[in-house]
Amino acid sequence: MVEFKALYFASARDAALGKQSEILQVAGNQPVTLAAAVECIKATYPKMEPVLTSAMVALNETYCDQDDMASTEVKDRDTVAIIPPVSGG
């Protein structure tokens, strides 16, 4: 099992019912990927699905490409951030 901190920004925070952050867990004995951590977030908050289509995902303050999420390992106490695009001036 891997326990990670999820951070939600902008519309991701709205989809997470107003939560700014929380601790989530992914069960299993195998290495947990960033893709699995994002699936855990989507399972917890179904309204996160449309947000994730355009959001950036960061692991420990480093952005991760969609192509690399399946091979990027999330370790215990890592931080996963969901960062949607924002506009403004």
Side-chain angles (χ1 to χ4, degrees):
M1 176 174 59
V2 170
E3 190 173 88
F4 67 94
K5 182 176 186 175
L7 300 177
Y8 309 114
F9 296 92
S11 60
R13 183 175 299 161
D14 296 336
L17 307 177
K19 291 184 180 177
Q20 182 176 3
S21 67
E22 67 183 321
I23 303 298
L24 295 173
Q25 297 176 342
V26 178
N29 295 331
Q30 307 226 348
V32 172
T33 65
L34 185 53
V38 169
E39 286 299 319
C40 175
I41 292 169
K42 287 195 307 193
T44 305
Y45 302 107
K47 291 183 179 181
M48 192 69 71
E49 180 91 34
V51 173
L52 287 165
T53 60
S54 60
M56 295 292 296
V57 177
L59 177 63
N60 298 326
E61 299 182 7
T62 301
Y63 288 112
C64 189
D65 290 329
Q66 292 285 335
D67 297 338
D68 297 330
M69 288 178 41
S71 61
T72 302
E73 186 175 348
V74 176
K75 297 186 170 107
D76 211 29
R77 299 183 186 204
D78 278 354
T79 300
V80 176
I82 307 298
I83 309 166
V86 294
S87 62

Coordinates of all heavy atoms in Angstrom, one line a residue:
M1 N 0.8 -1.2 0.0 CA 0.0 0.0 0.0 C 0.9 1.2 0.0 O 1.9 1.3 0.7 CB -0.9 0.0 1.2 CG -1.7 1.2 1.3 SD -3.0 1.2 2.7 CE -1.9 1.0 4.1
V2 N 0.5 2.2 -0.8 CA 1.2 3.5 -0.8 C 0.2 4.6 -0.4 O -0.9 4.6 -0.9 CB 1.7 3.8 -2.3 CG1 2.3 5.2 -2.4 CG2 2.8 2.8 -2.6
E3 N 0.7 5.5 0.4 CA -0.1 6.6 0.9 C 0.6 7.8 0.3 O 1.8 8.0 0.4 CB 0.0 6.6 2.4 CG -0.9 7.6 3.1 CD -0.9 7.5 4.6 OE1 -0.1 8.1 5.2 OE2 -1.7 6.7 5.1
F4 N -0.2 8.7 -0.4 CA 0.3 9.9 -1.0 C -0.6 11.1 -0.7 O -1.8 10.9 -0.3 CB 0.4 9.7 -2.5 CG -0.9 9.6 -3.3 CD1 -1.5 10.7 -3.8 CD2 -1.5 8.3 -3.4 CE1 -2.7 10.5 -4.5 CE2 -2.7 8.2 -4.1 CZ -3.3 9.3 -4.6
K5 N 0.0 12.2 -0.8 CA -0.8 13.5 -0.5 C -1.2 14.0 -1.9 O -0.4 14.1 -2.8 CB 0.1 14.5 0.1 CG -0.6 15.8 0.5 CD 0.3 16.8 1.2 CE -0.5 18.0 1.7 NZ 0.3 18.9 2.5
A6 N -2.5 14.3 -2.0 CA -3.1 14.8 -3.2 C -3.4 16.3 -3.0 O -4.0 16.7 -2.0 CB -4.4 14.1 -3.6
L7 N -2.9 17.2 -3.9 CA -3.2 18.6 -3.9 C -4.1 18.9 -5.1 O -3.9 18.5 -6.2 CB -1.9 19.4 -4.0 CG -0.8 19.2 -3.0 CD1 0.4 20.0 -3.3 CD2 -1.3 19.6 -1.6
Y8 N -5.1 19.8 -4.8 CA -6.1 20.2 -5.8 C -6.1 21.7 -6.0 O -6.2 22.4 -5.0 CB -7.5 19.7 -5.4 CG -7.5 18.3 -5.0 CD1 -7.8 17.9 -3.7 CD2 -7.3 17.3 -6.0 CE1 -7.9 16.5 -3.4 CE2 -7.4 15.9 -5.6 CZ -7.7 15.6 -4.3 OH -7.7 14.2 -4.0
F9 N -6.0 22.1 -7.2 CA -6.0 23.6 -7.5 C -7.1 23.9 -8.4 O -7.6 23.1 -9.3 CB -4.6 24.0 -8.2 CG -3.4 23.8 -7.3 CD1 -2.7 22.6 -7.3 CD2 -3.0 24.8 -6.4 CE1 -1.6 22.4 -6.5 CE2 -2.0 24.6 -5.6 CZ -1.2 23.4 -5.6
A10 N -7.6 25.2 -8.3 CA -8.6 25.7 -9.2 C -9.8 24.8 -9.3 O -10.4 24.4 -8.3 CB -8.0 26.1 -10.5
S11 N -10.2 24.4 -10.6 CA -11.4 23.6 -10.8 C -11.2 22.2 -10.2 O -12.2 21.5 -9.9 CB -11.8 23.5 -12.3 OG -10.7 23.0 -13.0
A12 N -10.0 21.7 -10.0 CA -9.8 20.4 -9.4 C -10.3 20.5 -7.9 O -10.8 19.5 -7.4 CB -8.3 20.0 -9.5
R13 N -10.0 21.6 -7.3 CA -10.5 21.8 -5.9 C -12.0 21.7 -5.9 O -12.6 21.1 -5.0 CB -10.0 23.1 -5.3 CG -10.4 23.3 -3.9 CD -9.8 24.5 -3.3 NE -8.4 24.4 -3.4 CZ -7.5 25.5 -3.3 NH1 -8.0 26.7 -3.1 NH2 -6.2 25.3 -3.3
D14 N -12.7 22.3 -6.8 CA -14.2 22.3 -6.9 C -14.6 20.8 -7.1 O -15.6 20.4 -6.4 CB -14.7 23.1 -8.1 CG -14.4 24.6 -7.9 OD1 -14.2 25.0 -6.7 OD2 -14.4 25.3 -8.9
A15 N -13.9 20.1 -8.0 CA -14.3 18.7 -8.2 C -14.1 17.8 -7.0 O -14.7 16.8 -6.8 CB -13.5 18.1 -9.4
A16 N -13.1 18.2 -6.1 CA -12.8 17.5 -4.9 C -13.6 18.0 -3.7 O -13.2 17.9 -2.6 CB -11.3 17.6 -4.6
L17 N -14.8 18.6 -4.0 CA -15.7 19.0 -3.0 C -15.1 20.1 -2.1 O -15.3 20.1 -0.9 CB -16.2 17.8 -2.2 CG -16.8 16.7 -3.0 CD1 -17.2 15.5 -2.1 CD2 -18.0 17.2 -3.8
G18 N -14.2 20.9 -2.7 CA -13.7 22.1 -1.9 C -12.4 21.7 -1.2 O -11.8 22.6 -0.5
K19 N -11.9 20.5 -1.2 CA -10.7 20.2 -0.5 C -9.5 20.7 -1.2 O -9.4 20.6 -2.4 CB -10.6 18.6 -0.4 CG -11.6 18.0 0.5 CD -11.4 16.6 0.7 CE -12.4 16.0 1.6 NZ -12.3 14.5 1.7
Q20 N -8.6 21.2 -0.4 CA -7.3 21.7 -1.0 C -6.3 20.6 -1.1 O -5.5 20.5 -2.0 CB -6.8 22.8 -0.1 CG -5.5 23.4 -0.6 CD -5.1 24.6 0.3 OE1 -5.7 24.9 1.3 NE2 -4.0 25.2 -0.1
S21 N -6.3 19.7 -0.1 CA -5.4 18.6 -0.1 C -6.0 17.5 0.8 O -6.9 17.7 1.6 CB -4.0 19.0 0.4 OG -4.1 19.3 1.8
E22 N -5.4 16.3 0.6 CA -5.8 15.1 1.5 C -4.8 14.0 1.3 O -4.0 14.0 0.3 CB -7.2 14.7 1.2 CG -7.4 14.0 -0.2 CD -8.8 13.6 -0.5 OE1 -9.5 13.2 0.4 OE2 -9.2 13.8 -1.7
I23 N -4.9 13.1 2.2 CA -4.0 11.9 2.1 C -4.9 10.7 1.5 O -6.0 10.5 2.0 CB -3.5 11.4 3.4 CG1 -2.7 12.6 4.1 CG2 -2.6 10.2 3.3 CD1 -1.5 13.0 3.3
L24 N -4.4 10.1 0.4 CA -5.1 9.0 -0.2 C -4.2 7.8 -0.2 O -3.0 7.9 0.0 CB -5.5 9.3 -1.6 CG -6.5 10.4 -1.8 CD1 -6.7 10.8 -3.3 CD2 -7.9 10.0 -1.2
Q25 N -4.8 6.6 -0.3 CA -4.0 5.3 -0.4 C -4.4 4.5 -1.6 O -5.5 4.5 -2.0 CB -4.4 4.5 0.9 CG -4.0 5.2 2.2 CD -4.4 4.4 3.4 OE1 -5.3 3.5 3.3 NE2 -3.8 4.6 4.5
V26 N -3.4 3.9 -2.1 CA -3.6 2.9 -3.2 C -3.1 1.6 -2.7 O -1.9 1.4 -2.2 CB -2.8 3.3 -4.5 CG1 -2.9 2.2 -5.5 CG2 -3.2 4.7 -5.0
A27 N -4.0 0.6 -2.7 CA -3.6 -0.7 -2.1 C -2.9 -1.5 -3.1 O -2.9 -1.3 -4.3 CB -4.9 -1.5 -1.7
G28 N -2.1 -2.5 -2.6 CA -1.4 -3.4 -3.5 C 0.0 -3.6 -3.1 O 0.6 -2.7 -2.4
N29 N 0.6 -4.7 -3.5 CA 2.0 -5.0 -3.2 C 2.9 -4.6 -4.3 O 4.1 -4.5 -4.1 CB 2.2 -6.5 -3.0 CG 1.4 -6.9 -1.7 OD1 1.2 -6.2 -0.8 ND2 1.0 -8.2 -1.7
Q30 N 2.4 -4.3 -5.5 CA 3.2 -3.9 -6.6 C 3.5 -2.4 -6.6 O 2.8 -1.7 -5.9 CB 2.5 -4.3 -7.9 CG 2.1 -5.7 -7.9 CD 2.4 -6.4 -9.3 OE1 2.7 -5.7 -10.2 NE2 2.2 -7.7 -9.3
P31 N 4.6 -2.0 -7.3 CA 4.8 -0.6 -7.3 C 3.6 0.2 -7.9 O 2.9 -0.3 -8.8 CB 6.0 -0.4 -8.3 CG 6.6 -1.7 -8.3 CD 5.6 -2.8 -8.1
V32 N 3.3 1.3 -7.3 CA 2.1 2.1 -7.6 C 2.6 3.2 -8.6 O 3.6 3.9 -8.3 CB 1.5 2.8 -6.4 CG1 0.4 3.8 -6.8 CG2 0.9 1.7 -5.5
T33 N 2.0 3.3 -9.7 CA 2.3 4.3 -10.8 C 1.5 5.6 -10.5 O 0.5 5.6 -9.8 CB 2.1 3.8 -12.2 OG1 0.6 3.6 -12.3 CG2 2.8 2.5 -12.4
L34 N 2.0 6.6 -11.2 CA 1.3 7.9 -11.1 C -0.1 7.7 -11.8 O -1.1 8.3 -11.3 CB 2.1 9.0 -11.8 CG 1.5 10.4 -11.8 CD1 1.3 10.8 -10.3 CD2 2.5 11.4 -12.4
A35 N -0.2 6.9 -12.8 CA -1.5 6.6 -13.4 C -2.4 6.0 -12.5 O -3.6 6.4 -12.4 CB -1.3 5.8 -14.7
A36 N -1.9 5.1 -11.6 CA -2.8 4.4 -10.6 C -3.2 5.4 -9.5 O -4.4 5.4 -9.1 CB -2.1 3.3 -10.0
A37 N -2.3 6.4 -9.2 CA -2.7 7.4 -8.2 C -3.8 8.3 -8.8 O -4.7 8.7 -8.0 CB -1.5 8.2 -7.8
V38 N -3.7 8.7 -10.0 CA -4.7 9.5 -10.6 C -6.0 8.8 -10.7 O -7.1 9.3 -10.5 CB -4.2 10.0 -12.0 CG1 -5.3 10.7 -12.8 CG2 -3.1 11.0 -11.9
E39 N -6.0 7.5 -11.0 CA -7.2 6.7 -11.1 C -7.8 6.6 -9.7 O -9.1 6.6 -9.5 CB -6.9 5.2 -11.5 CG -6.7 5.1 -13.0 CD -7.8 5.6 -13.9 OE1 -9.0 5.3 -13.5 OE2 -7.6 6.3 -14.9
C40 N -7.0 6.6 -8.6 CA -7.5 6.6 -7.3 C -8.3 7.9 -7.0 O -9.3 7.9 -6.4 CB -6.4 6.4 -6.3 SG -6.8 6.6 -4.5
I41 N -7.7 9.0 -7.5 CA -8.3 10.3 -7.3 C -9.7 10.4 -8.1 O -10.7 10.8 -7.6 CB -7.4 11.5 -7.8 CG1 -6.2 11.6 -6.8 CG2 -8.1 12.8 -7.9 CD1 -5.1 12.5 -7.3
K42 N -9.7 9.8 -9.3 CA -10.9 9.8 -10.1 C -12.0 8.9 -9.5 O -13.1 9.3 -9.5 CB -10.6 9.3 -11.5 CG -9.9 10.3 -12.4 CD -9.9 10.0 -13.9 CE -9.4 8.7 -14.3 NZ -9.2 8.5 -15.7
A43 N -11.6 7.8 -8.9 CA -12.5 7.0 -8.2 C -13.1 7.6 -7.0 O -14.3 7.4 -6.6 CB -11.9 5.6 -7.8
T44 N -12.3 8.4 -6.3 CA -12.8 9.2 -5.1 C -13.7 10.3 -5.5 O -14.7 10.6 -4.8 CB -11.6 9.7 -4.3 OG1 -10.7 8.6 -4.0 CG2 -12.0 10.4 -3.0
Y45 N -13.4 11.0 -6.6 CA -14.1 12.1 -7.1 C -14.5 12.0 -8.5 O -13.7 12.4 -9.4 CB -13.4 13.4 -6.8 CG -13.0 13.7 -5.4 CD1 -11.6 13.5 -5.0 CD2 -13.9 14.0 -4.5 CE1 -11.3 13.7 -3.7 CE2 -13.6 14.2 -3.1 CZ -12.3 14.0 -2.8 OH -11.9 14.2 -1.4
P46 N -15.6 11.4 -8.9 CA -16.0 11.2 -10.3 C -16.0 12.5 -11.1 O -15.8 12.5 -12.3 CB -17.4 10.5 -10.2 CG -17.4 9.8 -8.9 CD -16.6 10.7 -8.0
K47 N -16.3 13.6 -10.4 CA -16.4 14.9 -11.2 C -15.0 15.4 -11.6 O -14.8 16.4 -12.3 CB -17.1 15.9 -10.3 CG -18.5 15.7 -10.2 CD -19.2 16.8 -9.4 CE -20.7 16.5 -9.3 NZ -21.4 17.6 -8.6
M48 N -13.9 14.6 -11.2 CA -12.6 15.0 -11.5 C -12.3 14.6 -13.0 O -11.4 15.2 -13.6 CB -11.6 14.3 -10.6 CG -10.2 14.8 -10.6 SD -10.0 16.5 -10.0 CE -10.2 16.3 -8.3
E49 N -13.0 13.6 -13.5 CA -12.7 13.1 -14.8 C -12.6 14.2 -15.9 O -11.6 14.3 -16.6 CB -13.8 12.1 -15.2 CG -13.6 11.5 -16.6 CD -12.8 10.3 -16.6 OE1 -12.9 9.5 -15.6 OE2 -12.1 10.0 -17.6
P50 N -13.6 15.1 -16.1 CA -13.4 16.2 -17.1 C -12.3 17.2 -16.8 O -11.6 17.7 -17.7 CB -14.8 16.9 -17.1 CG -15.5 16.5 -15.9 CD -14.9 15.2 -15.4
V51 N -12.0 17.4 -15.5 CA -10.9 18.3 -15.1 C -9.6 17.7 -15.6 O -8.7 18.4 -16.1 CB -10.9 18.5 -13.6 CG1 -9.7 19.3 -13.2 CG2 -12.2 19.2 -13.1
L52 N -9.4 16.4 -15.5 CA -8.1 15.7 -15.8 C -7.9 15.7 -17.3 O -6.7 15.5 -17.7 CB -8.1 14.3 -15.2 CG -8.0 14.3 -13.7 CD1 -8.3 12.9 -13.1 CD2 -6.5 14.7 -13.3
T53 N -8.9 15.9 -18.1 CA -8.6 15.9 -19.6 C -7.7 17.1 -20.0 O -7.0 16.9 -21.0 CB -9.9 16.0 -20.4 OG1 -10.6 17.2 -20.1 CG2 -10.8 14.8 -20.1
S54 N -7.7 18.2 -19.2 CA -6.8 19.3 -19.6 C -5.9 19.7 -18.5 O -5.1 20.6 -18.7 CB -7.7 20.5 -19.9 OG -8.5 20.9 -18.8
A55 N -5.9 19.0 -17.4 CA -5.0 19.4 -16.2 C -3.6 18.8 -16.4 O -3.4 17.8 -17.1 CB -5.6 18.9 -14.9
M56 N -2.7 19.5 -15.8 CA -1.3 19.0 -15.6 C -1.3 18.2 -14.3 O -1.9 18.6 -13.4 CB -0.3 20.1 -15.6 CG -0.2 20.9 -16.9 SD 0.5 20.0 -18.2 CE 2.2 19.7 -17.7
V57 N -0.4 17.2 -14.3 CA -0.2 16.4 -13.1 C 1.2 16.5 -12.7 O 2.1 16.4 -13.6 CB -0.6 14.9 -13.3 CG1 -0.3 14.1 -12.1 CG2 -2.1 14.8 -13.7
A58 N 1.5 16.8 -11.4 CA 2.9 16.9 -11.0 C 3.1 15.9 -9.9 O 2.2 15.7 -9.0 CB 3.1 18.3 -10.5
L59 N 4.3 15.4 -9.8 CA 4.7 14.5 -8.8 C 5.9 15.1 -8.1 O 6.9 15.4 -8.7 CB 5.1 13.1 -9.3 CG 5.6 12.1 -8.3 CD1 4.5 11.7 -7.3 CD2 6.1 10.8 -9.0
N60 N 5.7 15.4 -6.8 CA 6.7 16.1 -6.0 C 7.3 17.3 -6.7 O 8.5 17.5 -6.9 CB 7.9 15.1 -5.7 CG 7.4 14.0 -4.9 OD1 6.5 14.1 -4.0 ND2 7.9 12.8 -5.1
E61 N 6.4 18.2 -7.2 CA 6.6 19.5 -7.8 C 7.3 19.4 -9.2 O 7.9 20.4 -9.6 CB 7.5 20.4 -6.8 CG 6.8 20.7 -5.5 CD 7.5 21.6 -4.6 OE1 8.6 22.1 -5.0 OE2 7.1 21.8 -3.5
T62 N 7.2 18.2 -9.8 CA 7.8 18.0 -11.2 C 6.6 17.6 -12.1 O 6.0 16.6 -11.8 CB 8.9 17.0 -11.2 OG1 9.9 17.4 -10.3 CG2 9.4 16.8 -12.6
Y63 N 6.4 18.4 -13.1 CA 5.3 18.0 -14.1 C 5.6 16.7 -14.7 O 6.8 16.4 -15.0 CB 5.1 19.1 -15.1 CG 4.5 20.4 -14.6 CD1 5.2 21.5 -14.5 CD2 3.2 20.4 -14.2 CE1 4.6 22.7 -14.0 CE2 2.6 21.5 -13.7 CZ 3.3 22.7 -13.6 OH 2.7 23.8 -13.1
C64 N 4.6 15.9 -15.0 CA 4.8 14.6 -15.6 C 3.9 14.6 -16.9 O 2.7 14.9 -16.9 CB 4.3 13.5 -14.7 SG 4.7 11.9 -15.3
D65 N 4.5 14.2 -18.0 CA 3.7 14.0 -19.3 C 2.8 12.8 -19.1 O 3.1 11.9 -18.4 CB 4.7 13.7 -20.4 CG 5.5 14.9 -20.8 OD1 5.0 16.0 -20.6 OD2 6.7 14.7 -21.3
Q66 N 1.7 12.9 -19.8 CA 0.7 11.8 -19.8 C 1.3 10.5 -20.2 O 1.0 9.5 -19.7 CB -0.5 12.2 -20.8 CG -1.3 13.3 -20.4 CD -2.3 12.9 -19.2 OE1 -2.6 11.8 -19.1 NE2 -2.7 13.9 -18.5
D67 N 2.3 10.6 -21.2 CA 2.9 9.3 -21.7 C 3.8 8.7 -20.6 O 4.0 7.5 -20.7 CB 3.8 9.7 -22.9 CG 3.0 10.2 -24.1 OD1 1.8 9.9 -24.1 OD2 3.6 10.8 -24.9
D68 N 4.2 9.4 -19.6 CA 5.1 8.9 -18.6 C 4.4 8.4 -17.4 O 5.0 7.8 -16.5 CB 6.2 9.9 -18.2 CG 7.1 10.3 -19.4 OD1 7.3 9.4 -20.3 OD2 7.6 11.5 -19.4
M69 N 3.1 8.7 -17.2 CA 2.4 8.4 -16.0 C 2.3 7.0 -15.7 O 2.4 6.6 -14.5 CB 1.0 9.1 -16.0 CG 1.1 10.6 -15.9 SD -0.5 11.5 -15.9 CE -1.6 10.5 -15.0
A70 N 2.3 6.1 -16.7 CA 2.2 4.7 -16.5 C 3.5 4.1 -16.0 O 3.5 3.0 -15.4 CB 1.7 4.0 -17.7
S71 N 4.6 4.8 -16.2 CA 5.9 4.2 -15.8 C 6.5 5.0 -14.7 O 7.6 4.6 -14.2 CB 6.8 4.2 -17.0 OG 7.0 5.5 -17.5
T72 N 5.9 6.1 -14.2 CA 6.4 6.9 -13.1 C 5.9 6.3 -11.8 O 4.7 6.2 -11.6 CB 6.0 8.3 -13.2 OG1 6.5 8.8 -14.5 CG2 6.5 9.2 -12.1
E73 N 6.8 5.9 -10.9 CA 6.4 5.3 -9.6 C 6.1 6.4 -8.6 O 6.8 7.4 -8.4 CB 7.5 4.4 -9.1 CG 7.2 3.6 -7.9 CD 8.2 2.6 -7.5 OE1 9.2 2.4 -8.3 OE2 8.1 2.1 -6.4
V74 N 5.0 6.1 -7.8 CA 4.7 7.0 -6.7 C 5.1 6.2 -5.4 O 4.7 5.0 -5.2 CB 3.2 7.3 -6.6 CG1 2.8 8.0 -5.4 CG2 2.8 8.0 -7.9
K75 N 5.9 6.8 -4.6 CA 6.3 6.2 -3.3 C 5.5 6.7 -2.2 O 4.9 7.8 -2.2 CB 7.8 6.4 -3.2 CG 8.6 5.8 -4.3 CD 10.1 5.9 -4.0 CE 10.8 5.1 -5.0 NZ 11.5 5.8 -6.0
D76 N 5.6 6.0 -1.1 CA 4.9 6.4 0.2 C 5.3 7.9 0.5 O 6.5 8.2 0.5 CB 5.3 5.5 1.3 CG 4.2 5.3 2.3 OD1 3.1 5.4 1.9 OD2 4.6 5.0 3.5
R77 N 4.3 8.7 0.8 CA 4.4 10.1 1.2 C 4.8 11.0 0.1 O 5.2 12.2 0.3 CB 5.4 10.2 2.4 CG 5.0 9.5 3.6 CD 5.9 9.7 4.7 NE 5.5 8.8 5.8 CZ 5.8 9.1 7.1 NH1 6.4 10.1 7.4 NH2 5.4 8.2 8.0
D78 N 4.7 10.6 -1.2 CA 4.9 11.5 -2.3 C 3.7 12.4 -2.4 O 2.7 12.2 -1.8 CB 5.0 10.7 -3.6 CG 6.4 10.2 -3.9 OD1 7.4 10.5 -3.1 OD2 6.6 9.5 -4.8
T79 N 3.9 13.5 -3.2 CA 2.8 14.5 -3.4 C 2.4 14.5 -4.9 O 3.3 14.6 -5.7 CB 3.2 15.9 -3.0 OG1 3.6 15.8 -1.6 CG2 2.1 16.9 -3.2
V80 N 1.1 14.3 -5.1 CA 0.5 14.4 -6.5 C -0.4 15.6 -6.5 O -1.3 15.7 -5.8 CB -0.3 13.1 -6.8 CG1 -0.9 13.2 -8.1 CG2 0.6 11.9 -6.7
A81 N -0.1 16.5 -7.5 CA -0.8 17.7 -7.6 C -1.6 17.7 -9.0 O -1.1 17.3 -10.0 CB 0.1 18.9 -7.6
I82 N -2.9 18.1 -8.9 CA -3.7 18.3 -10.1 C -3.8 19.7 -10.3 O -4.4 20.5 -9.5 CB -5.1 17.6 -9.9 CG1 -5.0 16.2 -9.4 CG2 -5.9 17.7 -11.1 CD1 -4.3 15.2 -10.3
I83 N -3.3 20.2 -11.5 CA -3.2 21.6 -11.8 C -3.9 21.9 -13.1 O -3.3 21.8 -14.2 CB -1.8 22.1 -11.8 CG1 -1.0 21.6 -10.5 CG2 -1.7 23.6 -12.0 CD1 0.4 21.7 -10.6
P84 N -5.2 22.3 -13.0 CA -5.9 22.7 -14.3 C -5.4 24.0 -14.9 O -4.8 24.8 -14.2 CB -7.4 22.9 -13.8 CG -7.4 22.3 -12.5 CD -6.1 22.4 -11.9
P85 N -5.6 24.2 -16.2 CA -5.3 25.5 -16.7 C -6.1 26.6 -16.1 O -7.2 26.4 -15.7 CB -5.6 25.3 -18.2 CG -6.5 24.2 -18.3 CD -6.3 23.3 -17.1
V86 N -5.5 27.7 -15.9 CA -6.2 28.9 -15.4 C -6.0 30.1 -16.3 O -5.1 30.1 -17.1 CB -5.6 29.3 -14.0 CG1 -5.9 28.2 -13.0 CG2 -4.1 29.6 -14.0
S87 N -7.0 31.0 -16.2 CA -6.9 32.2 -17.1 C -7.0 33.4 -16.2 O -7.3 33.3 -15.0 CB -8.0 32.2 -18.1 OG -9.2 32.2 -17.5
G88 N -6.6 34.5 -16.7 CA -6.7 35.7 -15.9 C -5.5 36.7 -16.3 O -4.7 36.3 -17.1
G89 N -5.5 37.8 -15.7 CA -4.5 38.7 -16.1 C -3.9 39.5 -15.0 O -4.0 39.3 -13.9

